[in-house]
Amino acid sequence: MNELRDGNARSRVFDAYESIEITAPTSHQVAVWNAVAEGKSFILRAPTGSGKTEAAIVPYLVGAGIWLPQRLIYALPLRSVTGQVKERIDGYAQKLGRELRTSIQHGQQPESVLFAADAVVATIDQVIASYACAPLTLPVRHGNIPAGAVISSYLVFDEVHLLHPQLGLQAMRIVCERLRRLGLPFGVMTATLPEALVDAIAEDLATEPIRSWEEFVARNITIEYGRRSLDAPSVVAHLERGLNRILVVCNTVDRAIALYRVVRSTAEACGYVCQLLHARFLPEDRRRKEEWIARFFGKQYHEEKVLLVATQVVEVGLDISADLLLTELAPIDAFAQRIGRVARWSPRAGAPAIGEVHVFEVPGNEPYDEGLMIKTREILATAGRWSFSWPSVQEMVDRVLTDRLKSIWADMGTQHQVIATLSQAAFEGNRRKASAAVREQDTVQVSVADFSTLSDNDALRLPWIDVALGTARRWVRQSEERGSLVQRLTVDERAVDDGAPTVSRETVRADQLRFGDRLLFPYPSLSYDAELGLSDNVYGQPFEPREQGERVGLTTELPCETWLQHVANVLGEIRRLITQDQHAVQGLARGLGCDPDDVVRAAALAAVLHDLGKLTRDWQKAVGIPDTAAGDELLAHTGVRRLRLPIHATVSAYSCHDAIRATSLPRQLQRAAVFAIAHHHSVRAREVPAYRFHAAWRDALGRALQLGGLDGLLDLDRIVWKQASSTDLRDRIPPFHNVNDYNAYVLLARWLRLADRIATGGQDAVCDYENWFGSV
């Protein structure tokens, strides 16, 4: 790839950016392109609005399947950012002539639960939990499918300064280290991580450090810190100045609501159109508000005077520009993000981008760390009135955050704790544990309804909003004082795969709340208003259950095919998938110290043996095949749905375990193949019933091995063709902390399960499943 340094390569970079209407890429965009084109990973620190997203995306759109893996997973801390990134990927792909299937993946918009789209824009908790085989929005029995996608993709972690340093940042580190061991390039991007931490990450993860202070627009911003609180008179005083776009940011939802209610009438009298945005809105109302914000604070200039009162939700993800920012004091990194919403571009072509920032004191430090607030206050008080520049802000960030974040990053005990949490999540299929490895478990879900008419089925269909645990406790106590009891709603997830979960409700007190609860408040102890959100001080309405649409099952035509036909079809599909994932094949072979052909043979062997358990006499008898049938007459599918058939996946793994362990394949690939076979319908499956193979099993299996080009690899005398009593597989899942075993397992399992699904349901089977899942 050294030719990328020559003139032709430089021309390719500029041609690509010119195609997306960026006439001159920045130095950091060129540097990222060169890094990934040479197979290197990168950590990029650059200002807000300087084109970091484009730096990561454009090389992928040009180099996918060449110098980068076929799939992009773009991981973000907040779901609110995903829509804009998806739009940019789609827009740039169209301009570059690339046909992509791009999807969003988070709890409210599960468009690619198997991570099967070409480009998946997901929240980081979805990515990490999926890699731990405990996906947050997919039945955990399918968890090894997205797990294999995470470790075989071009993975970009953006806005990493927003990650919890002891949790999310460490979880990101674990995945990046495993990608590094496979030799797959990845990206880490930030605006406000300290310089020393960027160096530490670059060294520890062997990434190319790229820094830039370039911006597409030079900004002229004055910043002033004052001792007074952000109250209505402070806002009104600035309204009278007549500036066009004013942004007010409070640190808590309650203060934002209270301030908005007081200043709205005055602002409207001054000719301002007003809006409020925080985290306690329903998705449809939040989308409506964000569309309003994009219209009036976006690049398309409007003459109207507008006022937006908001919380931290505006710090990232909203591509907006204000003329004036009135903000409560926040830690320096959050403060820098808020400054990034000011004078982001000039409202008129050729005019300078000018803005003001006024910083106000706060009545309390919540929701931030007291020590960081104290350090930030000291720095801003010393600076007084000053002119913004990114170097000056970064210097402040370094002074406040360096010692704290570097010590956390260097503390191996913190990393080991996250590994232990993810290991437990992987072993148990525990979604809550997987989520706890990424974020502090400090929220509950809240809904509000009229209990007098609410059935359990209606309760399940209510909208829910995430609320801080402390806030929920306060609301519960207030409800108790009024004599209104709050209920905890519990869903029995054992029936989730069948689409008919069981719902129960019980009264709960404030001291009984726990993370992840679904709390049902009686109206009017809480209420919801589309303009003000969910609050105990809002005169609004209860939630109404969502309309219950007709439940549509996933209809797939199961072909009537022999066992040998099915093996041949799965072999063809797994070879196609492996060809697409050549970067992962090469990387796994590199990590295991073996030849890539060994990986290909292991995958082919899993394809041949995955349905070996269907060659039992009981299974064949259940589908109407007599004991006298020949090997080429044994069936894999009957064309009839809903037949109750004996367990076969674990029988397949149990019966061929000794034979696989006797092959010449590397030990990690042997174990991965056995687990992939056992789990090709359900992760962690272990039960093995008593069985006895059909008389023609040896003939069928011998032919299948010939189809796979695996003659001589497997000793058929080592196949355990009968088991007199039920038993269990020895292990449940490869240990998460055993990197080589775990990576080999999730990759082979993904290839096998997708190949099996496509071979049975056709080329659109995976996409059809994702579309169906997202719709229900």
Side-chain angles (χ1 to χ4, degrees):
M1 290 296 178
N2 291 330
E3 75 275 5
L4 289 166
R5 300 294 186 186
D6 65 23
N8 290 335
R10 181 176 176 83
S11 175
R12 274 198 293 166
V13 177
F14 279 75
D15 287 348
Y17 274 94
E18 189 171 345
S19 297
I20 64 169
E21 300 175 5
I22 295 177
T23 55
T26 63
S27 61
H28 63 268
Q29 289 170 339
V30 175
V32 168
W33 176 295
N34 288 334
V36 298
E38 295 174 0
K40 297 178 182 177
S41 300
F42 67 91
I43 177 169
L44 169 62
R45 190 188 67 184
T48 59
S50 62
K52 291 191 294 295
T53 304
E54 287 73 16
I57 290 172
V58 175
Y60 165 75
L61 293 174
V62 175
I66 307 171
W67 62 72
L68 284 173
Q70 198 76 34
R71 182 185 311 100
L72 164 68
I73 298 178
Y74 198 105
L76 292 154
L78 303 173
R79 65 179 58 156
S80 60
V81 193
T82 55
Q84 289 190 9
V85 173
K86 178 185 183 301
E87 289 176 4
R88 288 158 88 171
I89 294 174
D90 286 338
Y92 296 149
Q94 184 177 12
K95 290 175 181 177
L96 286 165
R98 283 293 311 276
E99 291 187 9
L100 288 182
R101 179 182 164 222
T102 309
S103 297
I104 290 173
Q105 179 56 36
H106 57 67
Q108 292 183 348
Q109 203 168 343
E111 296 177 353
S112 191
V113 289
L114 303 178
F115 284 77
D118 300 305
V120 182
V121 185
T123 49
I124 185 173
D125 51 354
Q126 292 277 338
V127 174
I128 301 299
S130 292
Y131 180 57
C133 290
L136 302 182
T137 52
L138 177 73
V140 292
R141 65 189 181 93
H142 297 316
N144 49 14
I145 305 178
V150 172
I151 209 67
S152 60
S153 300
Y154 168 45
L155 192 50
V156 176
F157 291 96
D158 197 2
E159 309 286 5
V160 298
H161 46 270
L162 296 178
L163 299 179
H164 192 289
Q166 284 101 340
L167 299 175
L169 200 62
Q170 297 296 333
M172 177 208 79
R173 175 183 189 166
I174 291 164
V175 173
C176 289
E177 284 181 341
R178 296 188 174 196
L179 287 166
R180 177 178 64 82
R181 291 179 67 153
L182 294 175
L184 268 67
F186 57 86
V188 177
M189 303 200 296
T190 179
T192 55
L193 280 184
E195 177 87 2
L197 184 58
V198 171
D199 288 338
I201 293 174
E203 180 178 354
D204 291 343
L205 298 181
T207 62
E208 185 92 354
I210 300 170
R211 298 173 173 87
S212 175
W213 300 113
E214 292 180 84
E215 293 191 80
F216 293 138
V217 176
R219 297 190 276 186
N220 181 1
I221 304 173
T222 57
I223 301 169
E224 187 171 4
Y225 168 73
R227 294 288 184 180
R228 64 179 299 178
S229 297
L230 180 56
D231 53 17
S234 303
V235 177
V236 170
H238 287 286
L239 291 174
E240 294 171 348
R241 297 172 56 196
L243 295 171
N244 274 47
R245 295 185 286 193
I246 301 178
L247 172 61
V248 180
V249 181
C250 301
N251 291 353
T252 69
V253 175
D254 289 337
R255 287 206 294 272
I257 293 173
L259 182 61
Y260 180 78
R261 295 178 75 174
V262 173
V263 303
R264 177 171 54 178
S265 59
T266 303
E268 290 173 346
C270 293
Y272 282 85
V273 182
C274 304
Q275 191 60 270
L276 171 69
L277 183 66
H278 53 72
R280 289 192 220 141
F281 286 104
L282 295 177
E284 56 267 31
D285 291 325
R286 177 157 179 162
R287 281 193 295 269
R288 173 177 55 82
K289 288 171 174 288
E290 289 179 350
E291 289 170 359
W292 181 97
I293 293 167
R295 176 186 174 195
F296 289 107
F297 284 83
K299 292 183 179 180
Q300 189 66 39
Y301 180 69
H302 288 268
E303 294 288 346
E304 291 94 337
K305 294 190 296 184
V306 289
L307 169 70
L308 171 62
V309 179
T311 59
Q312 301 91 322
V313 295
V314 298
E315 289 178 8
V316 294
L318 292 178
D319 198 11
I320 63 174
S321 179
D323 305 317
L324 171 66
L325 168 64
L326 308 177
T327 176
E328 291 185 331
L329 179 71
I332 190 64
D333 52 340
F335 176 57
Q337 291 296 320
R338 296 179 190 184
I339 297 175
R341 308 306 116 185
V342 179
R344 200 174 174 95
W345 51 76
S346 173
R348 296 183 180 86
I354 299 174
E356 297 178 32
V357 176
H358 295 265
V359 187
F360 295 82
E361 263 303 338
V362 288
N365 295 311
E366 69 280 353
Y368 298 113
D369 177 81
E370 181 179 5
L372 296 182
M373 292 287 279
I374 291 172
K375 287 185 177 182
T376 302
R377 182 180 291 110
E378 291 172 352
I379 288 177
L380 293 182
T382 302
R385 182 182 175 90
W386 52 287
S387 295
F388 163 84
S389 69
W390 272 104
S392 63
V393 170
Q394 191 63 55
E395 181 184 356
M396 294 179 179
V397 168
D398 291 347
R399 289 169 60 187
V400 173
L401 296 177
T402 295
D403 291 344
R404 178 172 183 264
L405 294 185
K406 268 205 74 178
S407 65
I408 293 172
W409 181 263
D411 180 10
M412 295 306 295
T414 303
Q415 183 184 6
H416 291 158
Q417 182 58 50
V418 174
I419 292 175
T421 303
L422 289 173
S423 295
Q424 186 175 357
F427 181 77
E428 299 175 356
N430 190 319
R431 293 170 173 154
R432 184 174 294 190
K433 282 288 183 182
S435 183
V438 181
R439 307 180 192 274
E440 279 191 309
Q441 297 292 296
D442 60 353
T443 61
V444 296
Q445 290 185 306
V446 169
S447 193
V448 54
D450 182 351
F451 283 10
S452 64
T453 60
L454 187 70
S455 68
D456 287 348
N457 185 48
D458 286 342
L460 185 62
R461 294 186 290 111
L462 286 168
W464 299 87
I465 291 176
D466 290 338
V467 174
L469 182 61
T471 300
R473 284 200 174 106
R474 173 168 58 83
W475 287 349
V476 172
R477 291 190 189 100
Q478 291 172 350
S479 293
E480 290 172 346
E481 291 169 0
R482 301 185 189 114
S484 300
L485 299 180
V486 176
Q487 297 178 348
R488 177 191 287 132
L489 184 143
T490 304
V491 179
D492 183 355
E493 294 193 9
R494 288 175 297 180
V496 165
D497 282 344
D498 298 326
T502 302
V503 179
S504 61
R505 293 150 62 184
E506 61 179 343
T507 300
V508 64
R509 299 191 308 270
D511 60 356
Q512 295 175 320
L513 302 192
R514 56 179 184 254
F515 303 129
D517 274 345
R518 286 185 176 183
L519 301 178
L520 194 54
F521 283 78
Y523 174 78
S525 63
L526 291 184
S527 62
Y528 181 82
D529 179 85
E531 292 304 313
L532 299 177
L534 180 68
S535 176
D536 59 335
N537 291 314
V538 168
Y539 182 74
Q541 300 295 323
F543 288 141
E544 293 293 331
R546 304 287 194 189
E547 288 294 325
Q548 185 169 13
E550 181 181 356
R551 293 203 64 85
V552 178
L554 179 63
T555 57
T556 55
E557 293 297 326
L558 290 174
C560 180
E561 60 181 353
T562 67
W563 189 84
L564 282 170
Q565 286 172 332
H566 181 60
V567 166
N569 291 336
V570 174
L571 276 167
E573 293 301 332
I574 208 166
R575 285 167 176 154
R576 183 179 62 83
L577 291 168
I578 284 176
T579 300
Q580 291 177 351
D581 275 346
Q582 271 302 304
H583 287 81
V585 172
Q586 299 284 340
L588 182 58
R590 188 182 303 112
L592 300 180
C594 67
D595 192 282
D597 285 344
D598 288 332
V599 178
V600 175
R601 287 197 302 158
L605 187 61
V608 168
L609 297 174
H610 79 287
D611 273 354
L612 185 60
K614 290 183 177 180
L615 298 187
T616 65
R617 290 199 306 185
D618 287 346
W619 202 97
Q620 292 298 318
K621 181 178 179 181
V623 297
I625 299 299
D627 290 344
T628 57
D632 59 1
E633 295 177 308
L634 303 182
L635 290 185
H637 298 113
T638 65
V640 179
R641 295 183 60 84
R642 302 300 181 189
L643 283 178
R644 294 192 62 84
L645 299 170
I647 292 172
H648 73 274
T650 51
V651 172
S652 300
Y654 183 84
S655 62
C656 69
H657 175 273
D658 293 346
I660 291 177
R661 293 299 294 269
T663 67
S664 59
L665 293 172
R667 182 55 59 91
Q668 295 94 336
L669 288 175
Q670 293 173 1
R671 286 172 53 81
V674 171
F675 276 114
I677 292 165
H679 298 166
H680 78 271
H681 285 298
S682 183
V683 181
R684 304 170 193 87
R686 296 183 68 194
E687 177 189 356
V688 182
Y691 68 87
R692 185 184 184 91
F693 276 3
H694 189 279
W697 74 267
R698 185 181 288 265
D699 176 48
L701 180 55
R703 295 190 190 194
L705 289 168
Q706 289 178 343
L707 287 173
L710 302 172
D711 292 4
L713 180 64
L714 204 69
D715 183 355
L716 299 191
D717 289 335
R718 288 181 176 270
I719 298 293
V720 180
W721 58 273
K722 63 179 179 178
Q723 172 64 28
S725 60
S726 62
T727 185
D728 287 332
L729 298 179
R730 182 180 304 171
D731 299 313
R732 180 177 297 188
I733 192 172
F736 181 87
H737 62 269
N738 193 326
V739 180
N740 287 333
D741 276 15
Y742 191 81
N743 282 346
Y745 161 66
V746 296
L747 284 171
L748 260 64
R750 177 180 175 82
W751 293 329
L752 177 59
R753 295 194 70 171
L754 293 184
D756 191 23
R757 185 175 289 269
I758 295 168
T760 303
Q763 291 299 315
D764 295 329
V766 175
C767 182
D768 288 345
Y769 177 84
E770 290 192 323
N771 291 338
W772 168 81
F773 190 93
S775 70
V776 300

